[in-house]
Amino acid sequence: RPLRPGILYLTTKMSRQSTSLLFLALACVFALVFTSTLLVEQAAAGELEHALALGDPDAPVWPAFFQIDFSETTKIIGGSHTTTGTWWYDAVHNYTRIDRAYGRHDRYCGSIHPLTNTNCTHLVVAGMRYLVFPELKSCCACCNDAKGCGTIRRDWLHGAQYLGTQQIGGYMTNKWNQKGLQDNFYYATVDSNVPVELDMAPNDLFEFNPQTYKTDPINGSIFALPSYCSASASCPTLSVCTVA
């Protein structure tokens, strides 16, 4: 039966209203998507501007005191060799002590007792670097700070090239290169500048254990010169101390 005019009008009106509602819904969805995209782009731009404003992080400055355990791998003719040890640092008194369980493959210690597997300590006191062999009760004065053998400056990374971040041993680190006689790549944690690696490329790599890192003042007895050491007892003429 034909629709009455009133019903036809009502049906047409409802159809037009549905179409209008559909267009309105689509417009809202488009506006929402556009707004979300714009917000994401603005956030990304804000992060970029923030990063650019921050720039590269400042090169780390070592604390006045620290101690840390390490594993050291040296590469020389005939292969690579690994030892363990501990590094003590006191910039207030210009003291340094680096103990190695085996010093034979350290270029300084190894030039004194090249055929002996024994522990070796680099001990810097009063501007002189001594090579100490506790098991052998042997010691010699290697070189002084005037020849670059003193305690490293706290700001030795000043002017170093920043090379970005890198994951090392489960730690996110900042990477730096301070060129000397070779590349010296230094890695320290992003959040607190704890040493993670020092790579004196291509033949000497220190891998530090951040869990052992301490920055408390160090008891002076750690840097006490053994009784068998003397500034007048120089290392042999043909050692690295005198020929390098």
Side-chain angles (χ1 to χ4, degrees), residues 190-209:
V190 168
D191 56 351
S192 52
N193 281 329
V194 175
V196 176
E197 277 192 8
L198 173 58
D199 184 4
M200 294 179 279
N203 54 16
D204 196 356
L205 171 65
F206 283 89
E207 296 174 284
F208 298 108
N209 180 355

Side-chain angles (χ1 to χ4, degrees), residues 31-220:
L32 181 61
V33 171
F34 176 77
T35 302
S36 299
T37 303
L38 183 60
L39 288 174
V40 170
E41 291 177 350
Q42 289 176 340
E47 290 178 0
L48 178 61
E49 290 177 1
H50 181 64
L52 291 175
L54 290 176
D56 293 342
D58 292 333
V61 175
W62 278 3
F65 307 92
F66 75 77
Q67 72 176 72
I68 192 167
D69 293 344
F70 62 83
S71 173
E72 181 186 21
T73 300
T74 53
K75 297 178 181 178
I76 57 176
I77 298 174
S80 63
H81 306 274
T82 300
T83 189
T84 57
T86 302
W87 190 325
W88 289 270
Y89 178 81
D90 178 347
V92 174
H93 303 96
N94 289 324
Y95 293 157
T96 298
R97 175 175 169 175
I98 303 174
D99 285 2
R100 291 175 172 86
Y102 294 99
R104 179 179 175 184
H105 300 291
D106 170 64
R107 69 191 192 105
Y108 286 92
C109 299
S111 70
I112 308 301
H113 295 287
L115 303 178
T116 306
N117 286 323
T118 188
N119 53 5
C120 178
T121 294
H122 284 232
L123 185 58
V124 179
V125 178
M128 178 66 74
R129 182 175 296 259
Y130 297 87
L131 302 181
V132 185
F133 301 86
E135 293 175 343
L136 305 178
K137 295 293 188 292
S138 169
C139 177
C140 63
C142 181
C143 49
N144 58 30
D145 51 7
K147 294 184 178 180
C149 291
T151 293
I152 299 173
R153 291 167 53 104
R154 294 178 61 193
D155 63 349
W156 71 275
L157 285 163
H158 176 73
Q161 180 186 11
Y162 179 63
L163 299 176
T165 58
Q166 187 171 332
Q167 193 83 11
I168 299 288
Y171 298 92
M172 182 57 69
T173 68
N174 285 316
K175 179 180 180 181
W176 307 85
N177 183 21
Q178 183 66 290
K179 286 184 175 293
L181 296 177
Q182 73 283 318
D183 288 319
N184 295 287
F185 298 108
Y186 183 76
Y187 303 80
T189 57
V190 168
D191 56 351
S192 52
N193 281 329
V194 175
V196 176
E197 277 192 8
L198 173 58
D199 184 4
M200 294 179 279
N203 54 16
D204 196 356
L205 171 65
F206 283 89
E207 296 174 284
F208 298 108
N209 180 355
Q211 299 299 320
T212 65
Y213 184 65
K214 300 176 183 178
T215 58
D216 301 322
I218 301 170
N219 192 305

